[in-house]
Amino acid sequence: RGLSADELYKDELDVLRQGGCKLCEFTRLAVDVVNVSKPVLAGLFHTAYLYAGEVHACTFCVIEVNPRHVPFYRRALKFEPIGPERTNLRVNAPAVLLCASFDSIAEGLKTYGGQHELATGERSLFPWGFSPKEEAGILDRLRALEAKAAEPVRAAGEASGRR
């Protein structure tokens, strides 16, 4: 089915796909960053990264954002622009396609995750991500949920004689 971003940026996304990238897209990122704490926002992204990158083996994440939000996503999560500004008719607003490698996100989390008290001067969200121990527990729970969700599919296949 493709990604929502294919509507405006299919050519740019196809270049990544042809290079062997497995893409995912985070959408509907409307969060009031004034009233939502850094740990909450970082936890949301960290969990999404674990689910897409670790559970489903995606290698890159793309997001479409309003051009005025580009500096935040570059600084906070290492996203880089890979497409020009275009008008997104779904929301009737300008959009820019950003991309982040899950390797770079993993590096940021490995370096800073769970260390917000030590991250003086660090402007990314990585220090407010989970510690390695917390990450391992969340990843175990995500994998267990994924396995449980697959059980009815497996059971239906076995009941019909498919394996």
Side-chain angles (χ1 to χ4, degrees), residues 32-96:
D32 181 356
V33 293
V34 173
N35 293 315
V36 172
S37 69
K38 283 184 179 181
V40 170
L41 190 56
L44 175 68
F45 273 94
H46 198 152
T47 303
Y49 151 75
L50 290 172
Y51 186 72
E54 297 296 325
V55 175
H56 286 283
C58 291
T59 57
F60 284 82
C61 177
V62 296
I63 59 175
E64 288 178 279
V65 300
N66 188 291
R68 71 178 183 269
H69 297 151
V70 170
F72 170 78
Y73 286 102
R74 290 183 87 166
R75 178 184 69 248
L77 295 160
K78 297 187 179 183
F79 278 89
E80 292 296 330
I82 63 165
E85 182 177 322
R86 297 189 176 135
T87 300
N88 183 327
L89 297 176
R90 291 186 313 270
V91 294
N92 196 28
V96 174

Side-chain angles (χ1 to χ4, degrees), residues 6 8-16:
D6 278 313
L8 289 180
Y9 296 103
K10 184 160 178 37
D11 292 342
E12 290 85 350
L13 295 172
D14 283 347
V15 167
L16 292 173

Side-chain angles (χ1 to χ4, degrees), residues 146-157:
E146 191 72 6
K148 186 172 182 157
E151 286 175 10
V153 174
R154 266 193 305 259

